[in-house]
Amino acid sequence: MLVRRNFFPAPAPAFDHSLDRLFRDVFDGFAPQTEAATERGIQLNASESDEAYHVDAELPGFAEKDVEVTVIGKELRIEARQEENSEKIEGKVLRRERLSGTASRTLRFPLEIEASEVTARFENGVLNVTLPKAKAVLPRKIQIQG
Amino acid sequence: MTNCTPTQCTPTETGTVTRTQAQPTRVDIVELENEFRVDADVPGASKDDVDVRFENGVLSFSATLPEPAAAHPKTHLREFSGRRTEREFRLGDSIDTDAITARVEHGVLSIRLPKAERAQPRKIEIQ
């Protein structure tokens, strides 16, 4: 026999997006709903000035040692790798929306990069990479001889 | 006397106006024997950019994420920007609300929510 139990006595009002219903339920002692983990990759911003490309990557929760930045030819590869948090192994995971484990992203630029002059900075979970364009491809102003 | 209906006066409605402009914060939630752990993504934010509150049975947090490095003339990809992010959860009565702690590290807000003693597993001595 099918027994229906009304776990939510009052329907949530339509405007009640704010409260995370799942988590509220968890804390009220109901079993968590099973829901496929939200897949997400590394979020990037990339822009360009006359001399260089600039790339920012969001990597919250990763430490500097977890992040590898590689430049080969015209390509930038950002790879983040993290050991699984032991608490998450021991505990009961109720919600997993954040990026974890291993993630990577590769960007290909139209112009050659001066690989030896690429700099990277990592602060508060955000990576900034500056990739100077190869000198050979930079625009050069030519003096007109009089 | 506030000018709202009883429904609107409940904590679930607090801050609705700002919430419409904020993005929901991504979270991981793990339940351990003695506590819940909430990890929330606040990339780029430091301690001063984050606000955590517990009020009327609702845990809420918000952060203002700084605009990433100055945009350069030509933009190729724009998958994130400076923004406000927030989320809130109603807590059951199994949490020791006085013992909630929070910290920000590597762009992650970590909140520990210890379970109240009465909600923790207890071994019963057999007499």
Side-chain angles (χ1 to χ4, degrees), chain A residues 22-113:
Chain A
L22 171 65
F23 197 46
R24 181 181 58 197
D25 298 343
V26 167
F27 275 91
D28 288 346
F30 297 127
Q33 293 169 14
T34 52
E35 186 182 289
T38 316
E39 288 294 327
R40 88 173 288 217
I42 301 173
Q43 303 290 107
L44 295 182
N45 283 350
S47 61
E48 178 182 352
S49 58
D50 287 345
E51 310 81 31
Y53 295 105
H54 305 269
V55 177
D56 300 322
E58 279 194 331
L59 293 162
F62 289 86
E64 205 176 309
K65 64 174 172 55
D66 302 327
V67 181
E68 208 172 277
V69 178
T70 317
V71 177
I72 306 170
K74 296 175 179 174
E75 279 186 358
L76 164 72
R77 181 175 163 83
I78 297 169
E79 186 169 8
R81 189 185 299 271
Q82 202 174 38
E83 296 293 314
E84 184 66 42
N85 186 331
S86 61
E87 276 156 12
K88 286 184 182 165
I89 296 168
E90 290 161 21
K92 185 166 136 198
V93 175
L94 304 176
R95 195 84 161 176
R96 186 191 288 262
E97 300 167 354
R98 300 178 50 249
L99 183 65
S100 60
T102 303
S104 71
R105 221 44 216 265
T106 302
L107 281 185
R108 190 178 168 81
F109 300 100
L111 299 177
E112 286 295 331
I113 303 299

Side-chain angles (χ1 to χ4, degrees), chain A residues 15 18-20 23 27 44-48 54 58 61 87-88 92 94-98 105 124, chain B residues 12-13 19 27-29 31 37 41 44 72 74 76-77 79-80 83 87 89 92 95 106 108:
Chain A
F15 49 77
S18 57
L19 260 200
D20 189 308
F23 197 46
F27 275 91
L44 295 182
N45 283 350
S47 61
E48 178 182 352
H54 305 269
E58 279 194 331
E87 276 156 12
K88 286 184 182 165
K92 185 166 136 198
L94 304 176
R95 195 84 161 176
R96 186 191 288 262
E97 300 167 354
R98 300 178 50 249
R105 221 44 216 265
N124 294 334
Chain B
T12 60
E13 275 300 287
R19 192 170 300 116
V27 295
D28 285 349
I29 303 166
E31 180 180 2
R37 295 265 177 100
D41 279 348
H72 295 274
K74 272 162 113 180
H76 296 287
L77 277 177
E79 297 175 348
F80 67 97
R83 61 192 184 271
R87 203 140 166 201
F89 303 105
I95 304 299
H106 297 313
V108 176

